[in-house]
Structures are given as structure tokens and as C-alpha cells.
Amino acid sequence: QSVLTQPPSASGTPGQRVTISCSGSSSNIGRNSVNWYQQLPGMAPKLLIHSSSQRPSGVPDRFSGSKSGTSASLAISGLQSEDEADYYCATWDDSLISVVFGGGTKLTVL
Amino acid sequence: QVQLQESGPGLVKPSQTLALTCTVSGGPISSDNYYWTWIRQPAGKGLEWIGRVYTTGGTNYNPSLKSRVTASVDTSKNQISLKMSSVTAADTAVYYCARDLGYSWLDPWGQGILVTVSS
């Protein structure tokens, strides 16, 4: 059971906009920024969004992140086939004194 | 740019100690005050944070693994290490190292190493 809650799956057709939610609590998302990771099949995870809404250099602006209260969201617009991957949210938990991850969301591009 | 590479035995017997090394290239790990983190992923499952070590040696561990895990840094070799004692089949996973830029901002990651616990 993950500390952060993500839907196990999401899907969309090419060109669509998809959002993935990440729900936490006052000890983690409520106090700290959220980071998102993309894991392509057979690959190591890669940083997608940091500090809740900042895109690292090289990440397309189709990807965006937001945070409100104890929840965060990742939005992918103009969905492409290469976006098919697992997506994980992560943050620091002040009570556990540890990094916590969501269970991951498998995105399927139909 | 900074690159990370995990290494170690791919097969460990139950009850033994798993020992992994992460070699950092592209700059001295002591040049910036970052944490260096270990994460694992069982096949078909999600990511689990194991713990992190600061360049000066301070550590934080996942409470569920704390009693079995030790992370350390060797600045002379530009390496970080992970030791996990009393392993069982449940510890079979791909193990990743990553640089922690602050509170779960992990970048970059190593490619990962599969460790199987089996007799």
C-alpha cells in the first residue's frame, strides 16, 4: 500500500489531454513539493516534473504539473504514442522522514 | 553531465548480505552537497525508496528497511554503497541509485541492476 495514491491506469487517444492524479496527506504533499517520473518499458525512471510544476530541460511542454493542498496532478496534452509509460509521483514525508512514491499509473495510448 | 552506474552481484543467497556500489562519473560527488539515494523495484511493481546518504555521511532510511540497510559514501572513489542484510526472496528487485537534489527530486538515475535472492 503506497503512501501516495495514484490511479493504476489511464488512457487516451493521440492528441488528447490526459491527467494523472496523486493524492497524499498533510505530512507529505501538503507540506512539500511533488516530483513526477516517467518510466518507459524496460528503462530506468526519468525525472519529468520537479518542484510540483517545473519541467527539466529537454522535457516537452506538453507535460505540466500542478499541486493544490494535499493533491497533485500531471497533465499530458497532445498525447503521443511514445508517452505510453508508467508515471510515478513522489514527495518527502515529514512524519516518516522518507521519500514516498505513488503506486504508479500505467498510461496507454489507444 | 553526471552519470551513475550500479554494480554488484546479480545473485545473492537468502539470509546473506546484498552489497551494491554506485559509481558516479562526470564530477566529484563531494563538490556539491547532495544526497545520493537508493530505490528498488520488484518485477512488475512500483518504486520503493530504500534510503539516502549525504556527501558528509549522514543518512535517512525507509522505516520498513532501516534495521537491515546501510548506505555509505566513498568520496575518494566517487562511489556510494548499499548493504542490505538478511535478504529474502522479497528483496529480489531492480536496484537503482540516483542523485537527490532535494526531497525526492531525483536526477539523474542509474540504469539499474537486477538482484535475485535465491539459493
Side-chain angles (χ1 to χ4, degrees):
Chain A
Q1 201 81 342
S2 301
V3 173
L4 305 181
T5 301
Q6 296 180 237
S9 63
S11 63
T13 56
Q16 268 192 333
R17 184 176 187 271
V18 171
T19 61
I20 297 171
S21 62
C22 176
S23 178
S25 69
S26 58
S27 65
N28 43 65
I29 294 179
R31 296 183 184 182
N32 300 295
S33 59
V34 177
N35 303 292
W36 289 90
Y37 300 91
Q38 178 192 57
Q39 186 175 32
L40 297 170
M43 303 291 287
K46 171 192 135 182
L47 179 69
L48 194 63
I49 297 287
H50 70 84
S51 307
S52 301
S53 61
Q54 303 302 304
R55 277 179 289 105
S57 173
V59 173
D61 59 7
R62 303 186 294 105
F63 294 91
S64 62
S66 63
K67 190 190 99 165
S68 178
T70 59
S71 294
S73 292
L74 172 70
I76 309 171
S77 60
L79 199 61
Q80 299 181 3
S81 58
E82 56 260 40
D83 298 333
E84 194 159 281
D86 293 324
Y87 293 85
Y88 295 90
C89 59
T91 190
W92 181 260
D93 191 294
D94 287 349
S95 295
L96 296 173
I97 313 179
S98 64
V99 170
V100 291
F101 284 99
T105 298
K106 184 175 184 62
L107 175 63
T108 301
V109 180
L110 302 170
Chain B
Q1 79 257 21
V2 174
Q3 293 184 308
L4 289 74
Q5 176 72 59
E6 304 87 348
S7 60
L11 181 64
V12 181
K13 288 182 167 53
S15 80
Q16 292 191 340
T17 296
L18 177 163
L20 298 175
T21 297
C22 174
T23 300
V24 180
S25 59
I29 60 176
S30 57
S31 66
D32 298 290
N33 293 327
Y34 295 130
Y35 278 97
W36 301 88
T37 295
W38 290 95
I39 306 104
R40 69 180 181 179
Q41 184 175 36
K45 297 189 177 181
L47 302 170
E48 180 180 33
W49 184 77
I50 299 171
R52 65 181 188 177
V53 55
Y54 199 53
T55 48
T56 55
T59 55
N60 297 106
Y61 298 119
N62 185 321
S64 68
L65 299 170
K66 187 174 184 176
S67 64
R68 299 194 293 127
V69 170
T70 302
S72 59
V73 59
D74 187 335
T75 55
S76 66
K77 295 182 179 178
N78 236 39
Q79 292 177 334
I80 61 171
S81 298
L82 175 72
K83 290 187 178 179
M84 180 181 291
S85 63
S86 305
V87 297
T88 69
D91 296 311
T92 294
V94 174
Y95 286 74
Y96 297 99
C97 59
R99 182 177 62 176
D100 185 343
L101 294 163
Y103 297 101
S104 83
W105 178 354
L106 306 174
D107 184 56
W109 293 57
Q111 67 182 34
I113 182 169
L114 173 62
V115 178
T116 301
V117 178
S118 175
S119 55

